[in-house]
Amino acid sequence: MASGSSLTPPEIPFELHAVNRRKLLDSIRQHLSDSSRPLHGFVLLQGGEEKNRYCTDHTELFRQESYFAYLFGVREPGFYGAIDIATGNSILFAPRLPADYAVWLGEIKPLSYFKERYIVSMVYYTDEIAQVLCDKYGGSGKPPLFLLHGLNTDSDNFSKPAEFQGMEKFETDLTTLHPILTECRVLKSDLELALIQFANDISSEAHIEVMRKTRVKMKEYQLESMFLHHTYMYGGCRHCSYTCICATGGNGAVLHYGHAAAPNEKILEDGDMALLDMGAEYHFYGSDITCSFPVNGKFTSDQALIYNAVLEAHNAVVSSMKPGVSWIDMHKLAEKTILQSLKKGCILVGDVDDMMAKRLGAVFMPHGLGHFLGIDTHDPGGYLKGLERPKEPGLKSLRTVRELKEGMVITVEPGCYFIDAVLVPAMESSNTSMFFNRETISRFKGFGGVRIESDLHVTANGCKNMTKCPRETWEIEAVMAGAPWPLEKTSTN
């Protein structure tokens, strides 16, 4: 049987997590040294726990807590992990499983299995945490424990510090670890980049497969199903980075469509645009890709106008990205590029700088330009201590306002949407009503929107686009008509 993919899932490099632990160890030692504190104690993280569906005995598929995954790469629930700051040794603590686990859930692995698989210095049971850490501590007084507690600026939720029997024997620190470990996650190693690249490769391939097989009168969930099948069948990706957004027609104006109350169920109609935001996850590391295209395979002039406005913004940002560049400036560049195109297309009238001053860009793109990407779709670290979130429309939705650094992975996802909840008030406001050509804009009622999203690795002198999807209108039309991708070099376009 011919393979439906050119890709093979790579071997999982568990040394990646040893590199991550060394990075954290070096950073926390430097911090302690700078603040004249002794270089001893333990970093301690608690891994995730399995959960049941409400009151039932149905166990939901487990996915490891992200900080724990970053440091230890453990796929099983119920673990703890420690790093000895004095020696650099890494210690895993495994749950002591009951005998009937072997009947229902499989072999009970010996501790040596976890030591070898996860490349750690030693492994004990979770009921031995207090005794082991006290025995390993070489200093006087209570052993210091650096626990993970801090705010996620995307969710406004706090990470949960580890808890275990015997904590009263330790001096706990809830402030030091979180900002240091979060900043470690911002800059990716080569091993991390390789996994993010594979997630991008298999997801790009799946997006193209969906594009080719999309037909009028299909259901949106069939597009989602094709993506999930391809990434799991050929990429071994059991998890997605997030819930798939498979929006067509007017649903493209719903920024986070696809949730339980809007479950990718519309019938695709001739003349609809599709906006598909889907990304697979491989060994915790994710991708986040959006493709927009006409479901019948041919762009109308209006569809091409909006699509090319977004594509020009996407390409302008990618061409400008390099270390030292402000992400706020990149967001404004995307906004301005889209507004210029909308003016050229007679949707807007007036001076584009005046539109920018009145924050008109946020009417068509209410979300931020992009976000860090890694083990989480919205990877943490967007707001360092002291950085304030902007308050203006559009800018307040930015998930980071930092300057770019080499080693960051960040999404570039400009969009242009016709969202009644935002557009109607702007057209009625005395502050912005003068910019709208009502006759032209009426053609776009029910249009939905266009988003183009790629994952970018910031390099020493610029950036590398890790996403490999057709982007030009003629490329999309050729692929949807059956042309191979990448297109043959002999193309006259």
Side-chain angles (χ1 to χ4, degrees):
M1 189 174 99
S3 172
S5 174
S6 62
L7 300 168
T8 303
E11 286 292 316
I12 293 170
F14 285 102
E15 62 268 27
L16 176 156
H17 304 286
V19 170
N20 291 349
R21 291 193 296 271
R22 170 54 63 180
K23 185 178 181 182
L24 172 63
L25 185 64
D26 290 345
S27 296
I28 202 163
R29 282 175 172 172
Q30 185 65 54
H31 174 85
L32 293 174
S33 180
D34 290 346
S35 50
S36 303
R37 293 163 72 184
L39 304 185
H40 62 216
F42 302 91
V43 168
L44 181 71
L45 269 72
Q46 182 174 354
E49 299 284 348
E50 273 187 332
K51 293 179 181 176
N52 282 8
R53 181 184 289 172
Y54 305 115
C55 66
T56 76
D57 64 351
H58 167 65
T59 305
E60 295 175 345
L61 181 62
F62 174 73
R63 196 275 196 182
Q64 187 59 265
E65 191 279 324
S66 294
Y67 283 99
F68 196 81
Y70 176 81
L71 288 178
F72 296 100
V74 173
R75 66 185 177 188
E76 297 88 352
F79 275 66
Y80 290 70
I83 302 171
D84 187 332
I85 292 169
T87 66
N89 286 335
S90 51
I91 311 166
L92 275 179
F93 296 95
R96 202 185 290 269
L97 300 172
D100 67 351
Y101 182 100
V103 178
W104 297 96
L105 295 168
E107 178 190 357
I108 297 175
K109 307 278 197 317
L111 297 183
S112 57
Y113 167 85
F114 300 113
K115 181 176 184 295
E116 183 178 341
R117 177 178 175 83
Y118 296 121
I119 319 177
V120 292
S121 309
M122 54 200 83
V123 184
Y124 298 93
Y125 288 111
T126 53
D127 55 21
E128 301 175 297
I129 293 174
Q131 186 65 53
V132 168
L133 296 185
C134 285
D135 289 348
K136 301 283 179 199
Y137 181 57
S140 57
K142 287 185 174 183
L145 275 189
F146 297 92
L147 304 179
L148 188 69
H149 180 67
L151 180 70
N152 182 304
T153 56
D154 290 308
S155 66
D156 281 337
N157 293 327
F158 283 85
S159 49
K160 178 191 168 194
E163 296 177 348
F164 62 95
Q165 290 291 320
M167 285 190 72
E168 67 280 357
K169 298 174 183 175
F170 299 86
E171 196 71 48
T172 56
D173 178 321
L174 290 172
T175 59
T176 299
L177 179 59
H178 188 271
I180 295 173
L181 181 51
T182 296
E183 192 59 18
C184 287
R185 285 179 59 181
V186 170
L187 305 181
K188 271 60 178 182
S189 69
D190 288 345
L191 289 169
E192 290 180 286
L193 289 168
L195 290 183
I196 296 170
Q197 185 62 68
F198 176 74
N200 261 272
D201 289 346
I202 194 66
S203 297
S204 296
E205 193 178 77
H207 269 281
I208 292 161
E209 185 74 1
V210 173
M211 242 181 233
R212 285 199 176 112
K213 292 183 175 176
T214 295
R215 298 289 183 270
V216 172
K217 297 305 177 186
M218 292 177 84
K219 287 282 194 87
E220 290 167 336
Y221 60 70
Q222 291 178 283
L223 313 187
E224 177 181 17
S225 172
M226 287 188 277
F227 180 87
L228 297 175
H229 170 74
H230 191 94
T231 54
Y232 199 179
M233 179 79 172
Y234 301 110
C237 301
R238 196 173 194 187
H239 293 275
C240 262
S241 301
Y242 50 92
T243 303
C244 292
I245 298 170
C246 293
T248 61
N251 292 336
V254 182
L255 299 180
H256 284 167
Y257 184 72
H259 56 89
N264 295 332
E265 63 182 0
K266 178 184 174 295
I267 295 172
L268 279 59
E269 301 292 351
D270 197 5
D272 281 350
M273 280 292 288
L275 187 161
L276 306 187
D277 188 339
M278 306 183 287
E281 175 184 298
Y282 186 75
H283 186 61
F284 309 120
Y285 284 87
S287 57
D288 190 353
I289 299 171
T290 306
C291 294
S292 297
F293 56 90
V295 300
N296 64 12
K298 289 287 183 183
F299 283 88
T300 65
S301 57
D302 279 350
Q303 289 172 341
L305 167 62
I306 304 305
Y307 185 89
N308 285 324
V310 177
L311 183 61
E312 283 180 37
H314 172 278
N315 293 348
V317 170
V318 171
S319 298
S320 303
M321 284 174 60
K322 61 183 179 181
V325 166
S326 157
W327 196 240
I328 291 181
D329 290 346
M330 292 297 94
H331 180 94
K332 289 180 177 177
L333 172 62
E335 282 185 330
K336 189 169 187 177
T337 305
I338 290 168
L339 291 174
Q340 287 168 337
S341 295
L342 295 182
K343 179 181 176 182
K344 192 176 175 183
C346 300
I347 292 172
L348 298 177
V349 294
D351 183 79
V352 171
D353 288 333
D354 289 345
M355 296 178 198
M356 289 291 291
K358 297 290 180 74
R359 299 298 311 131
L360 197 69
V363 172
F364 295 96
M365 187 173 81
H367 60 72
L369 175 64
H371 49 81
F372 293 149
L373 174 75
I375 283 184
D376 288 311
T377 308
H378 298 152
D379 233 22
Y383 286 87
L384 294 171
K385 192 174 181 181
L387 283 180
E388 286 200 16
R389 188 180 287 274
K391 297 190 169 48
E392 304 97 314
L395 299 178
K396 68 184 179 184
S397 298
L398 281 167
R399 296 186 185 275
T400 185
V401 293
R402 294 178 62 167
E403 290 187 354
L404 298 180
K405 285 186 176 182
E406 182 181 359
M408 287 177 171
V409 175
I410 193 164
T411 66
V412 173
E413 49 179 305
C416 182
Y417 315 88
F418 295 85
I419 305 170
D420 286 344
V422 186
L423 193 55
V424 171
M427 291 175 69
E428 293 175 350
S429 167
S430 59
N431 201 35
T432 50
S433 61
M434 72 289 293
F435 296 121
F436 295 95
N437 181 337
R438 281 163 172 71
E439 185 180 341
T440 309
I441 210 165
S442 65
R443 296 205 310 263
F444 292 87
K445 184 162 183 64
F447 178 93
V450 167
R451 180 163 63 251
I452 300 172
E453 180 178 17
S454 303
D455 303 339
L456 280 296
H457 166 219
V458 182
T459 60
N461 303 308
C463 63
K464 177 197 172 192
N465 192 341
M466 305 176 85
T467 305
K468 300 171 180 175
C469 294
R471 293 306 194 191
E472 298 291 342
T473 54
W474 56 269
E475 291 176 333
I476 291 168
E477 289 183 349
V479 166
M480 291 185 75
W485 180 259
L487 298 180
E488 303 295 338
K489 298 292 185 188
T490 54
S491 172
T492 56
N493 287 285

